[in-house]
Amino acid sequence: MTRTKTTAWVGGALYLLAVGLLVGGAPRASGTVHGVGALLAASLLVGVVRRVPLLALAMALFGATAVVVGPTGSARASLSASYQGEFLSYLAVDLVVGLIVATCARRASIVAVTGSLIVQLLVISGFSHGENLTVNVVIALLATAAACMGGLLSRERREHAVALRSQEVAEAVIAERLRIARELHDMVAHSIGIIAIQAGAASQVIRTRPTEAGEALRAIEVTSRETLSGLRRTLVALRQADPGAAASGNGAALAPWPGLADIDRLVAATADAGVRVDVRRGGEERGLPADVDLSAFRIVQEALTNVVRHAGTERCRVLIDYGDEELSVEVVDDGRGVTGSGADHGLGLGLGLGLVGMRERVALLYGDFSAGPRPEGRFRVTARLPLPEPAGVPVEAR
């Protein structure tokens, strides 16, 4: 940052020095020579334009005006006969004006355009007469208008790109939430089915076999508590139901719920794709709420998919830590990723939409999510999912 700032100010100083040499070193050169020299010297202001656009415009106006007004003798006579030298001198000014219109606020753009026109018209009125005055004024207005149009088109294109990016992110978030909503529907349907079965069994044996009836009631309690906990933490953040959910049927409810118990299957599939996964588990493995277990599995799945697509490595590591109050999931690749074609390093997608889905899942569970490159070149995805309450008694599959 400091080096860039120093380079910018050195470029500004060199520009002023170049203008001084043009004015004092070749006073009798033609206006075209001075105009070309001023235009080439303006390239030294690139660093200042990026940091302080209005200051760069003031310096460009000063330099162009000094080149136009400074020469004497034949140079001044040529200026009164033709606007060629002035046009070349102020072309750099118009380019800076266009950049300000494209990147700065509206007030700054109005100040830049107004100030540039006033200076140019004052110089033209001092060195042009008769028909030349009209022609030179028209040329100055057209040049400034062209710079403004170019700046406006550039601003519009940039804003359109930002709007498209925001729309893509919003659509990715909506799609992810709708998918979570469908998965939540499956969870509720599955849980209600279990509750109904256990309640029916308990009602039949409550008098003849009270022990079995008590076990069924405890199973109902555990299932209902987990389902209500997932509903409270998820439904608050979901926006709108999928319009096609009603027509999609309930076939998805028959599919088994993926979870951390299916990591080995996921690792095998990743190995078939050419990436060996080292899975490490810490803490005491135990039963997890269905929504936490599913989200942890989906995060690992998406991260491994990104490793296969973008990391350019044959190895990665997955760490699953069962804490007392939270579940931690970490995926770290051993590659440096690929460049070009819009792909980011390692686990990151070119548009970041995969990371959007993972971040959304973690946010719905009020957890913490981070993803980014490490100093040694690897890329790491970390998710911490809070557990609502210690799962003291694992839920047995029935």
Side-chain angles (χ1 to χ4, degrees):
M1 183 66 68
T2 303
R3 181 179 299 178
T4 303
K5 183 178 180 180
T6 302
T7 303
W9 295 122
V10 169
L14 290 177
Y15 171 75
L16 296 178
L17 177 61
V19 170
L21 292 176
L22 284 173
V23 175
R28 296 185 177 275
S30 65
T32 302
V33 172
H34 283 93
V36 172
L39 181 59
L40 294 177
S43 62
L44 298 171
L45 292 175
V46 172
V48 183
V49 170
R50 291 179 177 178
R51 299 186 63 86
V52 192
L54 289 179
L55 178 60
L57 176 62
M59 296 176 67
L61 280 172
F62 172 79
T65 303
V67 168
V68 172
V69 176
T72 58
S74 61
R76 178 167 295 185
S78 65
L79 285 172
S80 62
S82 174
Y83 185 66
Q84 184 179 15
E86 291 187 28
F87 174 75
L88 293 174
S89 299
Y90 284 106
L91 180 59
V93 175
D94 295 328
L95 293 176
V96 176
V97 169
L99 180 62
I100 292 175
V101 172
T103 59
C104 296
R106 179 177 299 179
R107 181 178 298 180
S109 300
I110 294 175
V111 171
V113 173
T114 304
S116 174
L117 271 178
I118 290 176
V119 173
Q120 293 188 53
L121 293 178
L122 287 176
V123 173
I124 291 172
S125 63
F127 292 93
S128 300
H129 303 282
E131 295 180 356
N132 289 333
L133 177 61
T134 303
V135 172
N136 292 342
V137 168
V138 171
I139 292 177
L141 293 176
L142 290 177
T144 303
C148 292
M149 288 298 298
L152 290 174
L153 290 175
S154 177
R155 175 190 288 272
E156 183 179 355
R157 183 174 61 180
R158 187 179 68 255
E159 291 176 350
H160 181 63
V162 172
L164 287 179
R165 167 62 179 164
S166 300
Q167 183 179 359
E168 290 175 353
V169 173
E171 290 177 352
V173 170
I174 293 174
E176 184 64 22
R177 290 185 175 184
L178 292 177
R179 185 172 68 168
I180 295 173
R182 288 189 291 267
E183 292 173 349
L184 186 59
H185 167 269
D186 296 342
M187 179 184 69
V188 173
H190 176 72
S191 301
I192 295 300
I194 291 178
I195 291 174
I197 293 173
Q198 296 290 351
S203 66
Q204 293 179 3
V205 300
I206 190 170
R207 294 183 179 179
T208 59
R209 288 175 287 181
T211 302
E212 294 183 7
E215 292 179 356
L217 292 175
R218 281 191 293 271
I220 291 174
E221 180 184 6
V222 171
T223 303
S224 60
R225 287 183 181 275
E226 290 182 353
T227 304
L228 290 175
S229 177
L231 286 172
R232 280 194 300 266
R233 287 179 285 139
T234 306
L235 290 179
V236 173
L238 293 176
R239 297 291 187 186
Q240 185 178 2
D242 186 359
S248 61
N250 58 0
L254 301 177
W257 271 84
L260 294 180
D262 300 301
I263 290 294
D264 293 337
R265 174 176 58 83
L266 185 60
V267 167
T270 306
D272 293 339
V275 177
R276 188 175 65 181
V277 183
D278 180 19
V279 180
R280 302 178 185 178
R281 293 179 172 87
E284 181 182 356
E285 295 187 37
R286 58 186 186 272
L288 297 172
D291 52 348
V292 175
D293 198 21
L294 174 63
S295 295
F297 175 83
R298 294 300 190 197
I299 291 169
V300 175
Q301 183 182 45
E302 184 64 36
L304 292 181
T305 300
N306 291 342
V307 171
V308 173
R309 291 178 178 177
H310 305 291
T313 182
E314 297 180 355
R315 298 182 57 187
C316 70
R317 184 178 74 252
V318 176
L319 175 62
I320 304 173
D321 185 24
Y322 293 81
D324 294 334
E325 299 179 355
E326 67 178 13
L327 175 72
S328 299
V329 177
E330 180 181 277
V331 181
V332 182
D333 68 48
D334 289 339
R336 294 186 176 273
V338 295
T339 58
S341 301
D344 289 341
H345 174 88
L347 299 173
L349 287 172
L351 294 177
L353 300 183
L355 297 180
V356 169
M358 288 187 277
R359 193 181 305 276
E360 184 69 13
R361 283 187 176 272
V362 175
L364 290 175
L365 296 175
Y366 301 101
D368 295 325
F369 177 82
S370 63
R374 305 182 68 183
E376 61 267 29
R378 302 177 180 181
F379 198 94
R380 177 172 63 184
V381 168
T382 303
R384 293 181 174 85
L385 306 176
L387 300 177
E389 57 181 340
V393 180
V395 180
E396 298 181 356
R398 293 182 181 268

